[in-house]
Amino acid sequence: MVVKDIVKRNIVFISANESIQDAAMLMDDRNIGSLLIRDKGQYVGIITERDIMRKVVAMGKIADVTKVRDIMSPALLTIDINSTLEEAQIMMDKKGIRRLVVTEKDRIVGIITQRDVANSLVYSFARRSVA
């Protein structure tokens, strides 16, 4: 299986100047665990539920005052849409991350998560075992 088979193409993003409270409400509304960050028409980072817990809640910061840019991860780790799921899993394991931004011809087209990859690999293995 390849990344193309499981990529979530509904990219949800927020401005770097928005508050953490706005980011958390957007994640809750969309039932997602991360947002890409846009600034001046470019994707410049990512923020996750875990970032909010560790960098805002645990540090006693105020969510409606703290800005997304203050806690976002500026490095977007990407994988090509035609890469294998095994390659994706290895990259996530090596980097200690749970999400990869998916690109096609150097353009961001979606996100995959560690859970997406694991579930797909288990399903694929189970299908092969039955056959």
Side-chain angles (χ1 to χ4, degrees):
M1 291 185 78
V2 293
V3 169
K4 184 187 313 185
D5 298 329
I6 66 166
V7 63
K8 294 175 184 160
R9 292 182 179 262
N10 58 329
I11 299 171
V12 182
F13 64 88
I14 193 166
S15 165
N17 295 317
E18 295 294 325
S19 73
I20 295 302
Q21 182 173 0
D22 291 335
M25 289 183 346
L26 181 56
M27 283 188 234
D28 185 50
D29 287 345
R30 299 288 183 94
N31 195 31
I32 56 176
S34 65
L35 297 168
L36 291 182
I37 312 306
R38 282 187 69 137
D39 189 35
K40 298 176 184 164
Q42 298 292 319
Y43 291 108
V44 297
I46 188 168
I47 186 172
T48 67
E49 292 170 318
R50 188 174 178 144
D51 292 330
I52 293 170
M53 290 299 297
R54 294 175 121 185
K55 298 175 182 177
V56 178
V57 176
M59 301 302 287
K61 294 183 179 179
I62 302 169
D64 65 344
V65 174
T66 305
K67 301 294 181 192
V68 167
R69 72 173 167 268
D70 297 331
I71 72 158
M72 71 180 198
S73 300
L76 289 176
L77 297 176
T78 63
I79 191 161
D80 186 79
I81 198 162
N82 294 307
S83 299
T84 67
L85 296 187
E86 290 85 359
E87 290 171 317
Q89 186 64 55
I90 289 167
M91 183 182 291
M92 285 189 248
D93 288 346
K94 273 187 177 177
K95 300 290 185 177
I97 59 171
R98 298 178 184 177
R99 291 169 180 78
L100 287 171
V101 176
V102 178
T103 59
E104 184 173 27
K105 298 180 183 171
D106 296 323
R107 190 175 65 88
I108 293 175
V109 295
I111 293 179
I112 60 170
T113 67
Q114 195 172 41
R115 180 176 287 170
D116 298 332
V117 172
N119 288 343
S120 294
L121 290 174
V122 166
Y123 175 75
S124 176
F125 178 75
R127 260 189 24 207
R128 280 187 250 154
S129 295
V130 172

